[in-house]
Amino acid sequence: MDLNFNINEDHNKLLLAQLKKKLRQISQGGGKDRIEKLHAVGKMTARERIDFLFDDPSKSLEIGALAGDDMYHEQGGCPSGGVVVKIGLIKSKQCIVVANDATVKAGAWFPITAKKNLRAQEIAMENEIPIIYLVDSAGVYLPMQDEIFPDKEHFGRIFRNNAIMSSKGIIQIAAVMGSCVAGGAYLPIMSDESIIVDKTGSIFLAGSYLVKAAIGELIENEKLGGATTHTEISGVCDYKAKDDTDALEIIINLIDKIGQPKNAGFSRSKPALPKEPSKEIYGILPKSRSDQYDMRMIIRRLTDHSEMQEYKANYGKTLICAYARIDGWAVGIVANQRKVVKNAKGEMQFGGVIYSDSADKATRFIANCNQKKIPLIFLQDVNGFMVGSKSEHSGIIKDGAKMVNAVSNSVVPKFTVIIGNSYGAGNYAMCGKAYDPRLIVAWPSAELAVMGGEQAAKVLLQIETARLKKQGETISKAKEKEILDTITDRYRKQVSPYYAAARLWTDAIIDPMETRHWISSGIEAANHAPIEKSFNLGVIQV
């Protein structure tokens, strides 16, 4: 190994250590004191409840662990968006579980909480896997109600999705393990089956204080909407549990009786590890974003037997398109090549840039994968599409549009891994969040932005200095540097993978060593949902 390999390895492992430290902090939710208060009343935490359900918690995927990170400072923060979402196996059946974290503002809903809940339901609907709600929430966080309540992708969309999933036969089970109030009270009742924990669970549209204020009636919360009321009088709930453990065991027993799901028929052979050591990824991935590397070296450390069948290997070289297997699953890989290459005309092409020939190749490859029913994996390290008169005259916009069209209309499941850069229209063409990947994750080395930080800062500096000059201000070199530093710092924060993950632009930041597991689990989930639409590109310019 050379010196650069060691430098890269140290850098990437440091980024990974920072990620693990942050995830440990977030896993504490509202903090140790609040966790102890939950335990004191006989309740588990959200994470403890989920782990109890899963056959092997260590093999689960956590969606949106970083949601809300470094947000809502005035409200005291909202770790993990106040809700924990994980995909895992219960009695060997893949499920997604949504658990309110009562240690964070009593499980109240912030704007990011609603977004995260909707993401969980989206995953359940796309993959037709059971979804389990572990309810323990004080309801909407009232100081921010205008950002949670009325819009299409706000709180009310949850119940609309409950109804849609029910009509499609997607299994929903809810356990009320704490408060379940106001509009949130509809969620367990719109699920297929509901459980309520005695003494700690409660469901009502309005609590005792509001009932007294509204109609003058005096009644205790337990009699108003406790477990006995809803399992013996109202019939709202189906099962009465004596405690958290009992409620979770009821869920496990219900899942155990579910019949086998439908199958999409994706090809899977016996899983095999890569022959090339996966841990070498840390040393291959450069510390500097301007350094080159061969993306094939990354791919071979992700694929079974380190094998790949490259499509049109000598054409459109700044995109690698290849068939391979990951954990036994057949996949089609579309990956940005990060080294300078030479095309058939002897012209040099920059790594990480999509040229006309690359976009043309990818469009055809994506169509082939749809024809063969092969899931697509996008490995992003992209600066964008090539610019300049030569590219414009050769029709880069037309060829880029064809690729975007193919990605948009693809009917096989898509999975996106942001390895390095994810800039501009390159993010779109390489299946960014707007293009419905079943899962989208980032490595700690990722950046997401309209353009690279250095270029963006210089553009913004030009705009700002022009504005100041119009106002008659003289810009010294020192002032110019001060403006540039301010812009660069702000932009650096916004391109961070943590900024993206906090806003659910990605589902997670992951250790590169977890990539195979995420892709395999994602395809396993997608395999529950047969493809019913045919692939059609619509109208494109050829």
Side-chain angles (χ1 to χ4, degrees), residues 218-279:
L218 290 171
I219 188 169
E220 296 175 352
N221 280 337
E222 184 64 25
K223 287 185 178 180
L224 180 65
T228 299
T229 296
H230 285 311
T231 57
E232 298 179 19
I233 300 172
S234 71
V236 161
C237 291
D238 305 307
Y239 306 93
K240 180 180 178 180
K242 61 178 182 289
D243 54 25
D244 278 13
T245 300
D246 189 30
L248 297 170
E249 286 177 343
I250 291 170
I251 293 171
I252 292 169
N253 287 330
L254 292 173
I255 294 294
D256 187 42
K257 309 304 183 296
I258 295 171
Q260 291 300 314
K262 294 177 287 185
N263 192 293
F266 301 128
S267 171
R268 192 179 197 188
S269 61
K270 185 179 179 181
L273 294 172
K275 287 183 178 178
E276 301 289 341
S278 294
K279 288 189 176 181

Side-chain angles (χ1 to χ4, degrees), residues 402-431:
K402 286 193 295 186
M403 183 177 173
V404 170
N405 194 316
V407 173
S408 302
N409 285 299
S410 180
V411 296
V412 295
K414 300 166 291 193
F415 302 88
T416 302
V417 182
I418 304 172
I419 289 174
N421 301 334
S422 181
Y423 296 155
N427 170 282
Y428 301 160
M430 291 295 292
C431 197

